[in-house]
Amino acid sequence: MSRVVVCGSLNMDIVVQSERRPSSGETLLGAEVTFLPGGKGLNQAVAAARLGVPTAMIGAVGNDAFGNRLRGFLADNDVDSSGVREVEGPATGVAVIQVAEGDNAITVASGANMHFTRDMVRHAPRPDEVWVAQFEVPIPESEAILEQARAAGARTVLNLAPYATHSDSLLQQVDVAVLNEVELSQASGMKIRSRSSQRTIAAACETLRARGARAVVATLGARGAVVVTSNGTTAIPAAPAQVIDTTGAGDCFVGALAARMAKGATPLEAARYAVVAATCSVERLGASPAMPTAEDVAGRLPKA
Ligand code: ATP
Ligand code: RIB
């Protein structure tokens, strides 16, 4: 069976829940803290694996307790973590996530993630694989890996999050680019909001296609997603959700998209499934622990 290979970040998420976020200089008491496995790479790998698709992760952790716990979590979720290397010196990545009023603010201390290199890939990509990358590890390393994957005939998915400047040569290695409205604004130089017209969103996506990405998906929170391919533009609405925590919704989308592509779906078909999966994920606390199973998603798919 085809599989998903995720190259990217692993963080320990320190999730602090409070009624509201403190203002600058203010101290708020009464919050709750939870330590949850995270990092965009780990979240996307767990999302794909929970949907029943063989998944491997390649990344870097420090020689510390958080690194051990993250690798254990991947194993518990049936992700092949043999490609997660321990680097000497820097600590495992940490993200401090403040959750209040259904929204979040995140600060990441990247640590070992910035020591990720292309040499950490120890197997040659296969044509039946889907390779996934994001922007929480050094971008030139991800570009080299995606180039190798495409050259081998694998398909590639790039999540341009968190946004960073990047070359056209990177986008030329990408079958499907995924980004939210903030990242789409930054990438296109256009002012994009989740309520922007479909025509405006499509025009912004086209700027990425013009630079080399074959298909572009804009995720738009409660509105769902817009998919732009060479066949045109399609809006995919999200069903209403009882939002607990949206952290990792974008990662769930990317992992589910890659999982469906590994099963042979087109980017548009895969995005329809990913919208439903990501909507399930916002109804639970945390990023990776909130990833749905295939059964969870099946129960929410629109009737044909
Ligand atoms: P995050 O950074 O919080 O992980 P994101 O900004 O990258 O998320 P979004 O565009 O907010 O990603 O959400 C990704 C997908 O999650 C959406 O396309 C949609 O399917 C689902 N989703 C997010 N928020 C909601 C919501 N309030 N109601 C229903 N579905 C949602
Ligand atoms: O996308 C959510 C993720 O972003 C969190 O798990 C956090 O680790 C940051 O990388």
Side-chain angles (χ1 to χ4, degrees), residues 17-245:
Q17 287 175 277
S18 54
E19 276 183 17
R20 62 177 176 84
R21 266 191 236 144
S23 322
S24 178
E26 183 187 16
T27 301
L28 267 187
L29 292 181
E32 280 182 40
V33 68
T34 323
F35 289 72
L36 298 173
K40 293 186 189 301
L42 179 147
N43 295 338
Q44 294 171 10
V46 170
R50 285 213 183 151
L51 293 168
V53 173
T55 302
M57 165 125 210
I58 300 168
V61 293
N63 175 8
D64 51 35
F66 282 168
N68 290 337
R69 176 144 171 228
L70 297 180
R71 287 201 286 198
F73 184 81
L74 286 173
D76 291 346
N77 282 277
D78 292 328
V79 176
D80 174 354
S81 62
S82 58
V84 176
R85 314 276 163 209
E86 194 175 282
V87 294
E88 285 302 324
T92 296
V94 168
V96 177
I97 304 183
Q98 288 180 285
V99 178
E101 296 158 343
D103 206 356
N104 64 56
I106 305 181
T107 309
V108 176
S110 297
N113 291 304
M114 284 300 141
H115 295 256
F116 173 93
T117 68
R118 65 194 75 180
D119 304 332
M120 289 173 175
V121 177
R122 299 276 165 83
H123 83 273
R126 296 192 317 241
D128 62 346
E129 291 174 336
V130 178
W131 284 63
V132 181
Q134 332 75 32
F135 280 172
E136 284 189 328
V137 297
I139 294 175
E141 304 306 308
S142 301
E143 179 174 344
I145 291 168
L146 293 185
E147 185 177 357
Q148 212 185 354
R150 273 207 109 246
R155 280 174 302 160
T156 58
V157 175
L158 177 67
N159 180 208
L160 287 78
Y163 184 76
T165 48
H166 55 275
S167 62
D168 293 355
S169 61
L170 170 63
L171 291 180
Q172 284 154 16
Q173 306 307 329
V174 173
D175 287 308
V176 188
V178 182
L179 62 185
N180 69 15
E181 75 268 14
V182 176
E183 293 142 6
L184 186 57
S185 295
Q186 293 167 308
S188 65
M190 297 168 63
K191 208 175 215 172
I192 303 295
R193 302 210 167 77
S194 57
R195 61 175 186 281
S196 295
S197 72
Q198 184 175 316
R199 179 190 285 224
T200 304
I201 290 167
C205 291
E206 286 292 1
T207 65
L208 287 159
R209 285 189 7 92
R211 293 176 54 210
R214 283 150 200 85
V216 179
V217 182
T219 64
L220 303 167
R223 181 174 158 186
V226 166
V227 181
V228 181
T229 70
S230 55
N231 294 325
T233 301
T234 308
I236 306 172
Q242 306 215 315
V243 178
I244 302 282
D245 176 14

Side-chain angles (χ1 to χ4, degrees), residues 17 102 238-249 252 275-287 289-292 296-297 299-300:
Q17 287 175 277
Q242 306 215 315
V243 178
I244 302 282
D245 176 14
T246 62
T247 312
C252 182
V275 164
V276 179
T279 295
C280 294
S281 77
V282 303
E283 298 188 338
R284 299 177 196 152
L285 180 69
M291 299 309 173
D296 295 332
V297 181
R300 303 277 288 263

